[in-house]
Amino acid sequence: MRFFHPSAKISIFSEKLPQRTIPHAKAGLHANCTQMATFQFIIYMLKYSKDGVSVLVIIDRRRAKKNGLFPVKAEIVHRRTQKYFPTGVDMSPEEWEKWNGSRRSSGKGRRIESCFQRLCKEVNDLCEHGNFSLGILAARLGKDSGMMLNSSLASLAGEFMKAGQVNSYYRCRSALNAAEKYGGKSIHLSSVTPEWLRGCERFWTDEGKSCTTIHIYMKTIKCAMNTAKSAGIIKEAQFPFGKGRYMIPRANSRRMALSKEHIRRIMNYRGPGHLEENRDLWLFSYLCNGINFRDMLYLRHENVIDGEICFIRHKTAGSSGNPKMIRATMTEQMKQIMDRICIPYEGDPKAFLFRYAEHTHDQFSISRTVRRIVGQCNKALKEIAAELEIPCFTTYSARHSFATTMLRGGADLPFISESLGHSSIAMTENYLAGVTREERRRYAGILTDLQ
């Protein structure tokens, strides 16, 4: 039997629930529950659905309260996760069945329906704005846990995890850990003011965090605060970011290119096997158009085509439009590196070039593998730099070094931009190292060389 509630456009229907297992009742529970550990029952419940979110009203018979009654709750179901909200009404099973069976609005019934309609309105509003989550709903309903920056960032990280956005997930998790280090485990959204953010920035700066890292953390916190503002958890006047409030510091352009001399010494380095192997990984990245380690470690034999390494950056593979195919010429040095550390081709074009890769479609497993290899490589590169007495360099500097070496060798910006897979030349310019003293002197000579 089903009919529609006239005001809230909700349905009230009868449903036979599957058999449920209930723990043996303790003394004082309702007699009906003490007689059996499992039972089936028919209930009439209010139900509302919107964009994959369901709101149900149920009586929770698992444990009676001291008054011998059972709490009536609203159950929210989203992505197979349930969260319960109290209606403030307690009923006996007989009272519940009588109310549902007659569908008359008693005093308790009106309170239940009022609570239910409020929940439906909040769910509808959040779904309409496209930012529904159980954490945000709890915050809008006045739950303290949802009013915290901590839980807002945790909820945001959870959304990124479900969406498979690995880097966004780790950025959010890092921002949460950094914020808690400054503000503790209970940071109320209302306490996140421009003054609080400035204090946080000073704290992170004193810790040695770079301007780029602080920029990333603050952008993540701003995202969480924007979500809270859109959900109505905080008002516009409470939003701490913007002109006249708190301005996020600009990220530094990290120019980490090595000079030709330093690269030559790295190529000629001889040392323990594990250091040479990690040196080879860095050199392969440098020679292969500054390929990102995520893309490099998961190259397959099918990416080797007619003497070139051909690949699409993972970062842009899922973007709209036609992602750019990057082609890097296989130099003799690259072939020698492949002979030393790559898996020989045995007829399977889908086989990985490097032995570090694992066959999995789980982006988080891939990310963990890449982070582990990058970590061990950076540690080895630090040792090599100390031995060679050159500036410390990392896996990321291979990309900057490729771009800068190509520019100083006479390659034009469009070619370098295409080789890196950038969407614009302006992005490529951020990778290029500043002009050296020798170049400034040479360029200064042009001013007087008028022949």
Side-chain angles (χ1 to χ4, degrees), residues 72-110:
V72 177
K73 298 180 179 180
E75 179 185 62
I76 314 294
V77 183
H78 179 232
R79 294 181 177 176
R80 299 184 181 181
T81 301
Q82 297 85 27
K83 192 173 184 69
Y84 296 91
F85 295 86
T87 64
V89 175
D90 300 329
M91 286 185 171
S92 67
E94 293 83 6
E95 193 177 8
W96 169 261
E97 290 169 9
K98 182 179 178 180
W99 173 66
N100 280 294
S102 63
R103 296 185 298 280
R104 293 174 182 171
S105 292
S106 61
K108 288 184 176 181
R110 283 192 295 272

Side-chain angles (χ1 to χ4, degrees), residues 86-351:
T87 64
V89 175
D90 300 329
M91 286 185 171
S92 67
E94 293 83 6
E95 193 177 8
W96 169 261
E97 290 169 9
K98 182 179 178 180
W99 173 66
N100 280 294
S102 63
R103 296 185 298 280
R104 293 174 182 171
S105 292
S106 61
K108 288 184 176 181
R110 283 192 295 272
R111 286 160 58 193
I112 294 172
E113 290 180 4
S114 176
C115 176
F116 176 71
Q117 289 174 17
R118 182 193 174 198
L119 274 170
C120 293
K121 180 181 182 303
E122 298 291 351
V123 168
N124 183 75
D125 288 348
L126 289 173
C127 289
E128 288 291 336
H129 287 87
N131 59 354
F132 179 87
S133 76
L134 292 174
I136 292 176
L137 177 63
R140 288 187 66 153
L141 294 171
K143 297 281 186 180
D144 285 343
S145 61
M147 298 296 289
M148 301 291 177
L149 176 64
N150 315 67
S151 57
S152 297
L153 287 171
S155 177
L156 194 61
E159 293 297 319
F160 287 137
M161 175 178 279
K162 290 175 183 176
Q165 295 175 256
V166 181
N167 291 333
S168 296
Y169 165 77
Y170 282 118
R171 280 197 295 268
C172 201
R173 194 181 70 173
S174 297
L176 172 59
N177 292 336
E180 288 184 341
K181 199 168 182 181
Y182 171 70
K185 298 290 185 180
S186 300
I187 308 168
H188 284 264
L189 290 176
S190 58
S191 70
V192 182
T193 62
E195 292 73 23
W196 187 92
L197 291 169
R198 292 186 191 101
C200 195
E201 179 185 333
R202 287 192 296 271
F203 176 81
W204 289 338
T205 301
D206 291 343
E207 275 195 323
K209 296 285 191 299
S210 69
C211 200
T212 300
T213 298
I214 293 173
H215 174 86
I216 292 171
Y217 288 170
M218 288 301 186
K219 290 281 284 188
T220 306
I221 292 175
K222 182 179 179 180
C223 181
M225 297 298 288
N226 261 322
T227 302
K229 183 178 69 172
S230 300
I233 299 169
I234 62 172
K235 298 178 181 179
E236 173 62 38
Q238 294 176 288
F239 189 69
F241 294 90
K243 189 175 182 180
R245 301 177 186 179
Y246 174 78
M247 300 296 290
I248 298 176
R250 281 176 165 270
N252 289 331
S253 296
R254 297 183 293 171
R255 293 168 176 168
M256 300 178 290
L258 297 176
S259 68
K260 287 184 178 180
E261 172 60 21
H262 291 155
I263 295 172
R264 184 187 63 78
R265 293 170 68 182
I266 292 169
M267 285 183 173
N268 294 330
Y269 172 78
R270 296 293 180 270
H274 73 283
L275 293 184
E276 287 192 9
E277 181 177 339
N278 285 286
R279 183 276 317 272
D280 282 346
L281 285 174
W282 187 91
L283 281 178
F284 192 94
S285 173
Y286 165 74
L287 296 169
C288 190
N289 290 19
I291 186 173
N292 176 276
F293 262 54
R294 161 64 177 83
D295 298 321
M296 182 181 75
L297 295 177
Y298 281 83
L299 286 172
R300 300 173 187 269
H301 282 281
E302 64 183 358
N303 293 112
V304 182
I305 304 172
D306 295 333
E308 292 183 322
I309 302 289
C310 305
F311 64 97
I312 294 174
R313 295 183 69 191
H314 171 74
K315 185 176 181 178
T316 60
S319 60
S320 58
N322 296 320
K324 293 183 179 179
M325 175 67 74
I326 300 173
R327 303 177 187 276
T329 300
M330 288 261 296
T331 65
E332 187 60 36
Q333 288 162 312
M334 289 174 69
K335 293 177 183 177
Q336 292 172 6
I337 292 172
M338 290 177 65
D339 289 340
R340 290 196 293 267
I341 66 174
C342 286
I343 301 173
Y345 181 59
E346 296 180 350
D348 181 6
K350 296 291 184 181

